[in-house]
Amino acid sequence: GLPAALPTLPLELTVLYNSLLFTAGASDSAIQGEADGIRQGLLRVLEACGACGQGLSMEELWQKVLREVTMEELQSPLHRLGALQAAWWLAAGYLENVVGLFQLLILCSLSSVHSQEPERARCSEGQNELLSLLKAWPVPAEKASLPLVQSAEDLKEILCTAAAFLQGLQELEAGNFPTALSLLQEAAGGFCSKKVLAQIYTCLGCCAQQMGKPQTALQHLKRALQVDFQCLPALSHAAAVYHELGEMDAELQALAVLYEALEKNPPAAASSSLCFLIRTELLVHTPILTKLLRHRHPSEVKYLLAQRCLQDGRVVDAVEHYLDFLALLQEKLQQQVPLDGSSALPRIPEVFLEAVSALELAGRHQDAITVCEEVISRTTHLIPRMLPVDKWLEQPECPSPGAGPVDRLLSQKKESLCCLAWRTAAYLHQGWAWAKLGESKEAITQFSRCLSDLLRVQLNGPGVEPTESLLPEVEVLQKIRLLSLIGRGTQFLELGRHKAALLDFLHGLQLSPGDPAAASYLVQALWNLNRKQEAADHWQKFFQTSPGEEGPQNRQGRPLPLYLISCLEQAMFPHSEPLARSIQEYL
């Protein structure tokens, strides 16, 4: 309540500086909001000088104070307070405000030292303006009578590091990778803890990866782990780089180490060094940094291990990892994994079906049938009797946040299509599993259930091929229908019902003209029916395409879900060479 007085203002501003440092440092969390104490301190300075600053913004208030207050005794306290203001603005992302403030601080310093030229306050061409200004700012001298809890020199170094880090992240997010790399390298040479240094090297690795320099990325990520092995996101990104390079052994090793580290030491908020109250980590907290440094849940890593093993044909390992993952579902996984789209996990029924694929490829057909029953029982009540799709093939795949009733209806129908795809895929897997067990009649029953379920959806006619406008879910259903027709046809062949098999293969070719598996089985069925000339004609039509001519079987659609991998392998025609020899001898 005391009125402001010029003789005591240096002490008052120093006490304010120290108290704000304690307030910011004691919380050990990111600085947010405005520093109201700074505004009150500046208003006290203007009050002591007989001026008024009420109603001015913080930028205007600083301009007024630095231009009108010329007392030599107040320059050092005001400069220190300005550095603290810069910390708050950096934390809020107001970089332009920091540039303007330090231009004023430097000009004020130069105007009081006549031997220095004003050009020193300017930024040389090609240099970062904010960093140049921070480095050019002359740190005010300290007085023994006014001790500081954190020196202005240390604060300046931290501001330089934070500014380089923040701008590097901004450039990385904007896709300006060379500039981002330069700024992040500047930050890596700055004043920060090992924890922050590891984070900077992790960001450098991500930047190099996006620049198409995977080896450089790995060097930065390894450096991050050398600095701080608790920086597990670096290990996660390293696994992604190995995946990009196709180095499966290294990727699996990185994922295994990551899973072990997460299991032994769940990530927690690491306590920072208390040497400084204002630290780099308190000033840098952007969404892109949060995204790049997100700790994966152990279950996500376990799923990635299972998925990669399945994709690489390591069936035994894939089965082990999938079964471990399914066991984790009993631990309320949905409460442990983020549901904001950042998780590596697909929808849970898809994980079940991927596990089924692994089990089938490992020859554990009865276990595969059991897991499929779980998928079927969980999705049955979610599928309506009929799903018309013709009218919304051209609709966008994802409704916008402000979606209207039409978009919401589309989203609901797409969800129903997903459930139908999972249920029919489960029947499809059961059909192939029973076929491998030698139970052809049971296999035919499951394939027929799959095809019957697919009648709920009008697929726009049997001759329609996948196009850019076709919904991905519909394209998957078409493939499931084709694989079911091929599967049922093969079992009809096993039972000697060649005409029934022929019909299924014909329907399959109507659905996907030129499909090599359906075409091969069609030729086999005709050959078994002693319609050898027709078989030879079809064989020549499908498998003697002129060089350079693109047959229908070569056209590529969207990538199919991983859970269909075993069905695709089982649908391949196994007798191509003997059949070809027989037809050539006949011809």
Side-chain angles (χ1 to χ4, degrees):
L2 293 175
L6 287 174
T8 59
L9 273 180
L11 174 60
E12 188 174 330
L13 294 180
T14 302
V15 171
L16 174 62
Y17 172 85
N18 286 337
S19 66
L20 287 173
L21 282 170
F22 277 123
T23 301
S27 65
D28 202 28
S29 59
I31 293 175
Q32 295 179 342
E34 284 286 346
D36 292 330
I38 296 179
R39 169 180 285 276
Q40 295 305 317
L42 296 179
L43 291 175
R44 295 274 290 177
V45 171
L46 291 176
E47 179 187 345
C49 296
C52 179
Q54 295 292 343
L56 297 178
S57 66
M58 284 302 294
E59 306 94 274
E60 294 168 339
L61 196 54
W62 271 109
Q63 290 173 11
K64 186 176 180 65
V65 169
L66 292 175
R67 285 172 178 165
E68 296 185 9
V69 179
T70 58
M71 285 183 60
E72 186 66 29
E73 296 82 0
L74 291 177
Q75 295 307 306
S76 291
L78 283 174
H79 275 240
R80 286 193 290 268
L81 207 57
L84 208 51
Q85 175 69 74
W88 254 264
W89 276 341
L90 278 178
Y94 300 150
L95 304 189
E96 289 298 324
N97 291 359
V98 181
V99 169
L101 176 58
F102 272 86
Q103 285 175 339
L104 284 172
L105 290 173
I106 293 172
L107 287 172
C108 288
S109 298
L110 294 178
S111 64
S112 64
V113 183
H114 301 293
S115 62
Q116 295 177 329
E117 297 296 327
E119 280 75 8
R120 283 188 54 187
R122 298 176 185 170
C123 173
S124 302
E125 186 177 356
Q127 292 183 326
N128 182 275
E129 184 180 18
L130 177 55
L131 289 178
S132 297
L133 289 168
L134 287 171
K135 292 175 180 178
W137 174 56
V139 177
E142 297 183 20
K143 292 183 179 181
S145 60
L146 296 175
L148 306 175
V149 294
Q150 183 169 340
S151 72
E153 184 65 45
D154 291 339
L155 184 55
K156 173 183 175 177
E157 293 294 332
I158 289 170
L159 289 176
C160 288
T161 305
F165 196 4
L166 278 168
Q167 291 180 104
L169 290 170
Q170 288 180 348
E171 297 295 337
L172 179 59
E173 189 170 25
N176 302 323
F177 302 126
T179 306
L181 196 68
S182 175
L183 287 164
L184 291 171
Q185 287 172 338
E186 175 85 20
F191 201 60
C192 60
S193 64
K194 286 186 176 182
K195 172 187 171 185
V196 173
L197 183 58
Q199 293 176 356
I200 294 171
Y201 276 121
T202 301
C203 295
L204 277 166
C206 295
C207 183
Q209 182 185 7
Q210 295 191 60
M211 293 174 72
K213 298 179 179 180
Q215 295 299 338
T216 304
L218 287 174
Q219 291 176 8
H220 289 306
L221 294 170
K222 289 177 181 177
R223 180 68 178 140
L225 291 167
Q226 289 170 353
V227 171
D228 178 15
F229 187 72
Q230 291 302 313
C231 187
L232 297 183
L235 197 54
S236 180
H237 287 296
V241 176
Y242 284 127
H243 180 70
E244 181 183 309
L245 291 171
E247 297 184 17
M248 182 61 70
D249 289 335
E251 181 191 3
L252 291 176
Q253 185 179 5
L255 289 173
V257 172
L258 176 59
Y259 180 75
E260 184 179 356
L262 288 170
E263 282 286 283
K264 289 183 178 178
N265 301 304
S271 59
S272 301
S273 169
L274 296 178
C275 294
F276 302 108
L277 294 170
I278 292 291
R279 303 178 297 280
T280 306
E281 50 264 49
L282 300 184
L283 308 183
V284 183
H285 48 92
T286 63
I288 184 174
L289 183 62
T290 303
K291 179 181 178 182
L292 292 175
L293 299 179
R294 187 181 76 84
H295 280 272
R296 291 194 181 277
H297 189 272
S299 56
E300 293 180 82
V301 182
K302 176 60 72 174
Y303 169 74
L304 284 174
L305 281 165
Q307 182 196 59
R308 297 292 188 262
C309 288
L310 180 57
Q311 289 171 333
D312 196 49
R314 306 183 188 209
V315 177
V316 176
D317 291 337
V319 168
E320 179 184 348
H321 290 310
Y322 273 115
L323 293 181
D324 287 344
F325 176 80
L326 294 180
L328 290 173
L329 291 179
Q330 307 301 321
E331 302 175 9
K332 299 182 179 180
L333 179 64
Q334 65 274 16
Q335 296 179 12
Q336 301 169 352
V337 178
L339 301 177
D340 57 0
S342 60
S343 170
L345 293 176
R347 303 289 293 275
I348 295 302
E350 293 187 20
V351 181
F352 271 78
L353 292 170
E354 288 176 18
V356 169
S357 279
L359 288 166
E360 284 189 59
L361 292 172
R364 298 174 59 173
H365 305 298
Q366 196 63 55
D367 290 336
I369 291 169
T370 302
V371 177
C372 285
E373 282 298 329
E374 182 73 14
V375 176
I376 292 168
S377 64
R378 295 293 183 92
T379 55
T380 298
H381 66 286
L382 301 175
I383 306 170
R385 287 182 174 273
M386 293 299 295
L387 277 169
V389 299
D390 295 355
K391 295 181 181 179
W392 34 279
L393 289 180
E394 299 289 343
Q395 293 288 337
E397 293 192 5
C398 296
S400 58
V406 175
D407 290 328
R408 284 196 295 271
L409 178 61
L410 169 62
S411 180
Q412 292 169 3
K413 287 185 175 181
K414 287 182 66 178
E415 180 66 14
S416 297
L417 280 175
C418 287
C419 293
L420 181 60
W422 299 329
R423 176 180 162 92
T424 52
Y427 281 134
L428 174 66
H429 278 291
Q430 285 188 327
W432 285 112
W434 284 115
K436 289 295 182 180
L437 291 170
E439 301 288 342
S440 294
K441 291 184 178 179
E442 186 63 35
I444 290 171
T445 299
Q446 301 307 319
F447 287 130
S448 298
R449 285 176 177 172
C450 175
L451 293 167
S452 175
D453 259 10
L454 288 169
L455 292 177
R456 301 179 188 221
V457 179
Q458 175 62 40
L459 296 182
N460 218 19
V464 174
E465 295 185 63
T467 64
E468 291 296 328
S469 63
L470 198 61
L471 287 171
E473 296 83 0
V474 174
E475 193 171 335
V476 170
L477 289 172
Q478 282 186 318
K479 194 66 177 182
I480 292 173
R481 185 181 179 191
L482 171 64
L483 292 171
S484 292
L485 287 168
I486 293 174
R488 191 171 70 174
T490 62
Q491 297 312 297
F492 282 142
L493 287 178
E494 289 288 329
L495 297 175
R497 298 171 59 183
H498 303 303
K499 289 185 178 179
L502 181 64
L503 285 175
D504 276 346
F505 300 140
L506 282 171
H507 289 155
L509 284 172
Q510 288 176 340
L511 181 66
S512 181
D515 181 82
S520 298
Y521 277 115
L522 174 66
V523 172
Q524 180 71 67
L526 288 169
W527 191 263
N528 291 350
L529 287 168
N530 205 29
R531 294 160 61 174
K532 296 185 177 181
Q533 187 57 51
E534 287 183 70
D537 291 342
H538 280 288
W539 182 80
Q540 290 178 311
K541 173 184 176 183
F542 290 124
F543 302 109
Q544 290 189 339
T545 306
S546 301
E549 181 181 344
E550 184 182 3
Q553 65 270 29
N554 296 326
R555 297 174 189 165
Q556 299 293 322
R558 297 182 183 93
L560 289 173
L562 182 60
Y563 61 77
L564 291 179
I565 182 173
S566 64
C567 299
L568 289 170
E569 291 190 13
Q570 293 175 99
M572 292 174 63
F573 186 67
H575 310 300
S576 298
E577 292 185 8
L579 180 61
R581 283 198 301 270
S582 298
I583 292 175
Q584 286 170 348
E585 290 173 4
Y586 170 78
L587 291 174

